[in-house]
Amino acid sequence: MAQFSHLSFALLPRSASSAPFRLQLHPRISFPTPSFQIRDSSSPSPSASISGSKPKVVVTRERGKNGKLSKALAKHGINCLELPLIQHTQGPDLDRLPTVLSTDASFDWVVITSPEAGLVFLEAWKVAGTPNVKVGVVGAGTASIFNEVMQSSGRSLDIAFAPSKATGKVLASELPKSDKRRCTVLYPASAKASNEIEEGLLNRGFEVVRLNTYSTVPVHHVDQMVLKQALSCPVVSVASPSAVRAWVNLISESEERNISVACIGETTASAAKSSGLKNVYFPTQPGFEGWIGSILEALRAHDNS
C-alpha cells in the first residue's frame, strides 16, 4: 500500500455554515466566496512556450489546468498547444454533500478518485465546517490536490490510504476494512464514472454512499484555427474517457490515423482503443510521471517512423 504523510496543520474551530449551498457555473464549479483556491502554478499561459519551437503535443484538459503538463514537457524541449476538450459542471448530488458531511460524520472512509473530485469535495468540506474525516485517494495526483489546499488554508485532513496501483479497481480491492460489523464509505464522484469502485467495495462488505457531485462535458466551442494546428501535432494527450470521446467527435478517421494518443492511464487508454484510435500509449503505472513517459514514447515512435 502506498503511504502518504498525514498533514499536520492546525484544524480551525468547526463552525456550521448557515448560508445556502449554491454554485455558479462559469464554466467550472465554484462555491460562494471560497477561502482557498487552487491555481496552476505554471506561467499565466498554460501552454509552455519555447521560442521558435513548433508545438508537438496537444494538451486537452479543462482550460487553466494544462500548465503543469506543459511545463513538465518544456523541460524536455517540447512545446505544447492547448486545446481544451472538456469542462466540469455541477452534478445532481452536489448540494447534498455538505449536509451529508455535517450531519453524518461517521463514515469510515471518504474515497476520492480524481483531482476534480478532490477540489469539489474540499469546497463542500469547508462549507460543512471542516469535520474530521479519513480520506482514501486513488493516487499521488489526487493526493497532491489535498496537500496544496491544506498548505494554503492551514486546515488539517487525514489522507490515510492510496492503493498499490492508481486504479479504481485496485483501490476497491485494497481499501482497509475494520473488524467492526459496519464499515461505511462516502464516495463523491463524477456522474460519468463507472460503478466499478462501489461494486468492488460492496462485494467486500462495505456500505457505500455514492454522490454524483460533478460531471464532465465537451466544451461548447472549439476554435477551428487551433484545431487545425492541433491536427498537425504528432501527439494528443488525454486524461479521461470524456476527453477521448470529445477528441474522436472532432476529427475524421483519416485525421486520427496520423496522430498518436498518449493517455494518463489504463482506463482512458481502453476508452481510446474502444473508440477506434490506433496509436494509443499509456503507462503501466497510472499517474502524472507515467503519463509524461507515455507522451515521450509516442513522440519517439513518431520521430522513428
Side-chain angles (χ1 to χ4, degrees):
M1 181 178 76
Q3 299 295 320
F4 286 90
S5 299
H6 289 210
L7 302 168
S8 59
F9 301 100
L11 181 66
L12 297 183
R14 177 174 174 175
S15 60
S17 172
S18 60
F21 193 59
R22 294 290 183 268
L23 290 179
Q24 295 177 348
L25 303 178
H26 302 293
R28 68 159 267 104
I29 296 174
S30 62
F31 288 71
T33 59
S35 62
F36 51 80
Q37 189 174 11
I38 288 291
R39 293 188 181 277
D40 206 306
S41 58
S42 61
S43 60
S45 172
S47 297
S49 178
I50 303 173
S51 179
S53 176
K54 182 181 178 181
K56 292 184 176 180
V57 177
V58 185
V59 290
T60 61
R61 276 182 155 167
E62 188 177 20
R63 187 170 301 281
K65 295 184 179 178
N66 290 297
K68 181 180 178 181
L69 179 60
S70 296
K71 190 174 181 180
L73 290 172
K75 293 179 180 179
H76 295 273
I78 298 165
N79 202 7
C80 296
L81 175 70
E82 183 180 49
L83 180 69
L85 295 178
I86 59 167
Q87 60 188 19
H88 294 114
T89 60
Q90 177 176 336
D93 300 326
L94 181 60
D95 289 344
R96 292 177 53 199
L97 183 55
T99 302
V100 170
L101 286 170
S102 61
T103 60
D104 188 357
S106 61
F107 289 102
D108 294 279
W109 289 99
V110 176
V111 168
I112 304 295
T113 58
S114 72
E116 186 65 22
L119 288 172
V120 174
F121 167 78
L122 284 165
E123 296 284 14
W125 175 72
K126 173 192 172 284
V127 172
T130 64
N132 292 322
V133 291
K134 188 165 63 173
V135 178
V137 296
V138 75
T142 301
S144 68
I145 294 296
F146 287 86
N147 289 328
E148 292 171 16
V149 170
M150 295 304 104
Q151 290 176 18
S152 65
S153 68
R155 289 173 167 83
S156 177
L157 200 60
D158 186 7
I159 310 299
F161 169 78
S164 59
K165 185 177 181 180
T167 68
K169 183 177 181 179
V170 176
L171 184 152
S173 68
E174 294 183 350
L175 187 72
K177 189 173 185 290
S178 66
D179 295 331
K180 66 182 184 178
R181 170 182 275 181
R182 186 168 180 259
C183 198
T184 57
V185 174
L186 175 62
Y187 175 37
S190 166
K192 298 287 181 65
S194 72
N195 296 325
E196 181 178 59
I197 289 176
E198 63 259 45
E199 287 179 356
L201 292 172
L202 287 169
N203 289 337
R204 291 182 55 209
F206 286 92
E207 294 181 18
V208 182
V209 176
R210 172 171 173 164
L211 297 180
N212 292 324
T213 56
Y214 75 99
S215 189
T216 304
V217 298
V219 294
H220 299 307
H221 172 74
V222 173
D223 188 309
Q224 292 303 304
M225 293 297 293
V226 177
L227 177 59
K228 183 177 180 180
Q229 191 177 5
L231 292 171
S232 69
C233 295
V235 176
V236 58
S237 61
V238 287
S240 68
S242 295
V244 169
R245 289 189 290 269
W247 174 250
V248 170
N249 288 336
L250 280 176
I251 63 176
S252 67
E253 290 186 14
S254 61
E255 290 167 336
E256 69 187 39
R257 293 193 190 100
N258 300 320
I259 302 174
S260 296
V261 182
C263 304
I264 196 169
E266 186 177 347
T267 301
T268 303
S270 295
K273 292 176 182 178
S274 298
S275 298
L277 299 175
K278 304 300 182 185
N279 302 317
V280 178
Y281 296 81
F282 66 97
T284 303
Q285 284 289 341
F288 185 75
E289 295 302 326
W291 193 18
I292 292 174
S294 294
I295 293 170
L296 296 177
E297 181 185 358
L299 286 170
R300 284 193 295 269
H302 174 268
D303 292 341
N304 293 331
S305 62

